[in-house]
């Protein structure tokens, strides 16, 4: 039987496949679909190229400054946003060389280290692999598919993933940019017994984050007894990792996720478990540090305006992401504030990479 070669590109390597010439196109269709799947995976992780960011230096007053630790997740889908966020942190920091990044990646994603190193040659960073199997069995279906990715839950495991020497950290989502010095956010005081600080939004309808079943069952809703819970967004947090480790908050979050699988207590991804464990027991941060919701809601992602007040951080939480809307030629007015931090050079073609 005669065979004919077919090749696909994966991580700058050519993979050859052989199929019988006698087979009909009907039989070959699943084969070609499989090849298309492999090619799409390859392009998703290698189709973006970024220009090298400028070098940022410490000012003379930084000699006695403590290191600011920043944690972020990295994946191929949000890499462009992550690059812009890192760029914004460095550009507005008075001591950029004193910022240490800690990147959490999926165990299935490769080449992110080389991309970060090529874009920010002098950046101080470490990469940690997150074992998705630890959380994948605990995830319930939410209102938006992007919220169900295991890496979205990695922020709950920072005290486990990072070394014990890292005691305090700023966690940042990938769909934001800073326009202020991150050292100011990192210096947020955490009172004794408080493991987390974030902007709180007490005018939001807190009851809407949980189902009627939750509120009608005192054994569940009484978790908030003695607390004055308010909504907070988990995309910007200052975390005391030492206290978190001592109180094993990761285990508490996991226990709520297990109950959610059985009882359906909420509809929104990784946020409600944080609210269940921490709401009403966190340190407040000025709202200027999380002008969130710029990506619209979780369904349509419509344009939104800034909240009243000063701005130190712009956050495109919600369905709409600025790089997607810009590329589609349908940007929202505030997406122009994200664009200056975009370091995308050009999409690379498969031919260029061979």
């Amino acid at each position: 039987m005669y065979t004919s070669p077919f090749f696909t590109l994966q991580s700058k390597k050519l993979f050859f496949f052989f199929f019988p010439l006698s087979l009909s196109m009907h039989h070959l269709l699943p084969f070609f679909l499989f090849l298309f799947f492999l090619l799409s995976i390859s392009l998703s992780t290698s189709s973006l190229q970024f220009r090298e960011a400028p070098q940022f230096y410490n000012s003379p007053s930084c000699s006695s400054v403590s290191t600011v630790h920043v944690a972020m997740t990295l994946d191929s889908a949000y890499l462009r946003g992550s690059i812009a966020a890192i760029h914004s942190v460095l550009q507005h920091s008075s001591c950029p060389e004193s910022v240490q990044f800690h990147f959490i990646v999926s165990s299935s994603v490769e080449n992110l280290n080389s991309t970060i190193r090529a874009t920010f040659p002098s950046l101080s960073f470490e990469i940690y692999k997150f074992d998705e199997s630890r959380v994948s069995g605990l995830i319930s279906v939410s209102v938006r598919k992007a919220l169900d990715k295991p890496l979205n839950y990695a922020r709950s495991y920072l005290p486990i993933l990072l070394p014990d020497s890292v005691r305090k950290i700023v966690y940042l989502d990938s769909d934001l940019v800073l326009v202020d010095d991150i050292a100011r956010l990192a210096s947020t005081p955490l009172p004794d017994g408080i493991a987390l600080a974030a902007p709180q939004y007490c005018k939001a309808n807190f009851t809407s984050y949980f189902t009627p079943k939750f509120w009608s069952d005192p054994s569940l809703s009484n978790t908030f007894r003695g607390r004055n819970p308010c909504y907070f967004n988990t995309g910007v947090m200052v975390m005391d990792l030492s206290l978190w480790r001592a109180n094993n908050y990761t285990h508490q979050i996991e226990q709520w996720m297990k109950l959610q699988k059985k009882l359906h207590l909420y509809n929104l991804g990784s946020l409600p478990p944080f609210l269940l464990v921490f709401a009403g027991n966190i340190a407040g941060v000025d709202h200027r540090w999380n002008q969130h919701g710029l990506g619209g809601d979780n369904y349509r992602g419509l344009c939104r305006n800034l909240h009243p007040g000063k701005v130190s951080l712009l956050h495109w939480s919600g369905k709409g992401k600025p790089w997607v809307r810009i590329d589609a030629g349908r940007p929202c007015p505030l997406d122009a504030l994200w664009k200056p931090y975009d370091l995308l050079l050009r999409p690379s073609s498969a031919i260029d990479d061979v």
Side-chain angles (χ1 to χ4, degrees):
M1 181 180 295
Y2 295 100
T3 60
S4 176
F6 192 88
F7 66 88
T8 183
L9 178 70
Q10 179 106 2
S11 300
K12 299 185 179 181
K13 297 178 182 179
L14 291 178
F15 288 83
F16 287 86
F17 298 88
F18 293 88
F19 56 83
L21 287 175
S22 59
L23 293 179
S24 65
M25 288 303 297
H26 173 73
H27 292 93
L28 291 175
L29 180 59
F31 175 80
F32 284 112
L33 290 175
F34 175 69
L35 291 180
F36 177 79
F37 172 73
L38 290 180
L39 185 60
S40 66
I41 293 176
S42 172
L43 292 179
S44 68
T45 57
S46 62
S47 61
L48 299 180
Q49 291 185 355
F50 300 93
R51 67 179 183 272
E52 184 178 319
Q55 177 68 50
F56 298 98
Y57 299 97
N58 280 3
S59 65
S61 60
C62 294
S63 57
S64 59
V65 170
S66 300
T67 300
V68 173
H69 293 277
V70 179
M72 299 176 66
T73 59
L74 288 181
D75 68 356
S76 56
Y78 282 77
L79 183 58
R80 187 173 171 187
S82 301
I83 294 289
I86 298 165
H87 185 199
S88 72
V89 169
L90 297 175
Q91 181 168 321
H92 294 284
S93 175
S94 58
C95 303
E97 294 177 289
S98 300
V99 180
Q100 168 79 27
F101 283 88
H102 303 266
F103 298 124
I104 314 301
V105 303
S106 167
S107 58
S108 62
V109 177
E110 301 176 355
N111 301 324
L112 292 176
N113 179 62
S114 58
T115 299
I116 296 296
R117 182 64 65 196
T119 309
F120 304 100
S122 301
L123 189 71
S124 176
F125 71 93
E126 297 289 341
I127 289 184
Y128 310 83
K129 286 190 176 181
F130 177 56
D131 182 5
E132 294 185 349
S133 65
R134 172 152 189 178
V135 73
S136 56
L138 300 175
I139 297 175
S140 302
V141 176
S142 65
V143 297
R144 185 156 57 91
K145 188 175 181 180
L147 301 177
D148 300 336
K149 294 182 177 181
L151 197 61
N152 196 43
Y153 291 80
R155 70 196 79 188
S156 303
Y157 295 88
L158 290 176
I160 298 172
L161 293 167
L162 273 57
D164 291 347
S165 58
V166 181
R167 299 176 180 176
K168 186 179 183 181
I169 201 160
V170 177
Y171 173 81
L172 299 175
D173 269 353
S174 297
D175 52 357
L176 54 78
V177 294
L178 276 79
V179 292
D180 202 341
D181 192 342
I182 195 169
R184 296 175 182 169
L185 176 60
S187 65
T188 299
L190 289 167
D192 290 343
I194 301 298
L196 190 153
Q200 299 184 85
Y201 304 90
C202 295
K203 293 183 179 180
N205 182 9
F206 189 80
T207 59
S208 66
Y209 291 96
F210 302 95
T211 62
K213 178 185 292 186
F214 171 85
W215 292 113
S216 63
D217 187 341
S219 67
L220 299 171
S221 59
N222 280 347
T223 189
F224 292 118
R225 178 180 291 178
R227 295 153 64 179
N228 183 24
C230 295
Y231 161 73
F232 64 91
N233 180 277
T234 56
V236 180
M237 299 184 289
V238 181
M239 305 167 67
D240 183 333
L241 299 188
S242 296
L243 186 59
W244 187 302
R245 296 180 183 111
N247 288 280
N248 202 4
Y249 289 127
T250 298
H251 176 71
Q252 295 183 38
I253 289 173
E254 288 179 333
Q255 292 303 110
W256 279 111
M257 293 175 68
K258 290 177 181 178
L259 278 178
Q260 160 71 358
K261 293 284 285 187
K262 297 178 181 178
L263 303 177
H264 185 63
L265 307 177
Y266 52 81
N267 298 310
L268 276 177
S270 62
L271 169 64
F274 264 84
L275 297 180
L276 287 162
V277 174
F278 294 107
N281 194 30
I282 72 171
V285 176
D286 193 289
H287 288 182
R288 66 189 298 164
W289 287 106
N290 196 350
Q291 283 275 350
H292 69 292
L294 303 185
D297 60 24
N298 284 305
Y299 301 96
R300 293 180 294 172
L302 301 178
C303 299
R304 286 185 176 175
N305 295 322
L306 290 173
H307 304 287
K310 298 179 179 180
V311 180
S312 292
L313 184 151
L314 299 152
H315 187 188
W316 280 263
S317 57
K319 184 177 181 180
K321 303 306 174 187
W323 58 92
V324 175
R325 297 193 294 213
I326 289 171
D327 288 352
R330 298 190 299 272
C332 292
L334 291 177
D335 294 346
L337 299 177
W338 178 88
K339 183 63 178 175
Y341 305 99
D342 184 16
L343 293 175
L344 183 69
L345 187 59
R346 65 177 179 86
S348 63
S349 66
I351 299 299
D352 291 336
D353 284 344
V354 174

